[in-house]
Amino acid sequence: MGLSTISQTIQAIEEEDSIEDSEEVSAQHLRGIFHYANSRTTVPGLDIYTDGSKIEDKTGSAFCVMEEDTTKYEWMAQLSPFNTVFQAELLAIQEACLWVSKTNQQIKVWAHVGYSGNEAADVLAKKATQEGIPIYIPTPRNHIKSLLQKESIIRWQKEWDNGETGRSVHNVLLKVKTTPTPWQRPEITFVTGHGPFPTYLKRCNVRSSDSCGCGNL
């Protein structure tokens, strides 16, 4: 990824719900670093390429500094399984910009289409998922939301299994779910016991009472 596209990337990632603003990875902070680093790239010199990668439950972030086809410097980081590839991209951009700001090197960063350096950064990011230095950045919002939803389902299931009401429905729908069951009115009245079924079954001596499951006639 080149500095010519970093500004757009930061803006896009800044709008993602899955990215938490933080001191470690802040889009606003990166924007300031980007402007500083970009002001130092007017003279051709080194090329820097960044990338992030997520393979199954492993996330990697990396950038490489190249001069022609020779790699001068590499940086890799291994993130937590819950971190997103967007966070990995942001982290790589941040570290690349910080590296520029701390050195007196004159750099030139290309757009990422058609340059072998981007292939090198991609390989490095994948390698970082296994061998990068461990770095912690905050949990993305969507991961927290997923954990809360799973915990809610577990508690809901326990209440449904141990409840005292709705047992006729429980016999049919054993598992709770967040999507509605596509039943029509006849299925609903039959399974819940509401409607004319108790009266009919009592008349046929199948039931001893014509009350529905809720205790009402």
Side-chain angles (χ1 to χ4, degrees), residues 75-95:
W75 178 88
M76 297 186 298
Q78 185 182 57
L79 281 64
S80 301
F82 52 73
N83 289 127
T84 67
V85 70
F86 299 107
Q87 289 180 307
E89 290 276 7
L90 268 178
L91 183 62
I93 294 170
Q94 173 183 260
E95 294 300 323

Side-chain angles (χ1 to χ4, degrees), residues 45-47 65-72:
L46 300 177
D47 303 327
V65 182
M66 302 186 69
E67 185 174 17
E68 295 182 351
D69 292 330
T70 303
T71 301
K72 295 294 186 179

Side-chain angles (χ1 to χ4, degrees), residues 17-214:
D17 287 340
S18 61
I19 302 299
E20 286 290 327
D21 291 333
S22 67
E23 293 182 0
E24 291 83 0
V25 181
S26 167
Q28 183 177 3
H29 178 60
L30 285 179
R31 194 182 298 280
I33 297 176
F34 161 70
H35 286 307
Y36 175 76
N38 196 34
S39 66
R40 301 170 62 87
T41 64
T42 56
V43 181
L46 300 177
D47 303 327
I48 297 183
Y49 300 91
T50 68
D51 202 4
S53 179
K54 191 171 184 68
I55 303 175
E56 295 180 351
D57 62 341
K58 298 182 182 298
T59 309
S61 177
F63 77 85
C64 59
V65 182
M66 302 186 69
E67 185 174 17
E68 295 182 351
D69 292 330
T70 303
T71 301
K72 295 294 186 179
Y73 180 78
E74 292 180 345
W75 178 88
M76 297 186 298
Q78 185 182 57
L79 281 64
S80 301
F82 52 73
N83 289 127
T84 67
V85 70
F86 299 107
Q87 289 180 307
E89 290 276 7
L90 268 178
L91 183 62
I93 294 170
Q94 173 183 260
E95 294 300 323
C97 291
L98 288 175
W99 184 87
V100 173
S101 67
K102 292 177 181 179
T103 66
N104 293 321
Q105 299 286 347
Q106 296 175 337
I107 67 168
K108 175 174 57 179
V109 184
W110 300 91
H112 65 280
V113 177
Y115 289 95
S116 59
N118 282 284
E119 294 298 325
D122 180 65
V123 172
L124 199 62
K126 289 180 171 62
K127 184 179 179 181
T129 63
Q130 302 287 343
E131 303 177 15
I133 56 174
I135 286 184
Y136 172 80
I137 57 178
T139 305
R141 192 177 305 166
N142 64 339
H143 180 71
I144 297 176
K145 182 179 178 180
S146 176
L147 292 178
L148 291 175
Q149 185 179 46
K150 289 179 181 178
E151 181 62 26
S152 298
I153 292 294
I154 292 174
R155 294 188 180 187
W156 184 14
Q157 185 66 55
K158 289 181 179 179
E159 292 180 0
W160 182 233
D161 291 337
N162 300 323
E164 297 180 356
T165 60
R167 296 302 85 190
S168 61
V169 180
H170 182 270
N171 292 333
V172 179
L173 299 178
L174 299 178
K175 299 294 183 181
V176 299
K177 57 182 181 179
T178 57
T179 56
T181 301
W183 282 350
Q184 300 298 321
R185 185 175 182 276
E187 290 94 338
I188 295 174
T189 55
F190 179 76
V191 173
T192 60
H194 295 286
F197 299 107
T199 302
Y200 176 78
L201 294 175
K202 181 177 183 298
R203 189 165 65 245
C204 296
N205 295 320
V206 177
R207 290 184 53 157
S208 59
S209 171
D210 57 359
S211 298
C212 70
C214 65

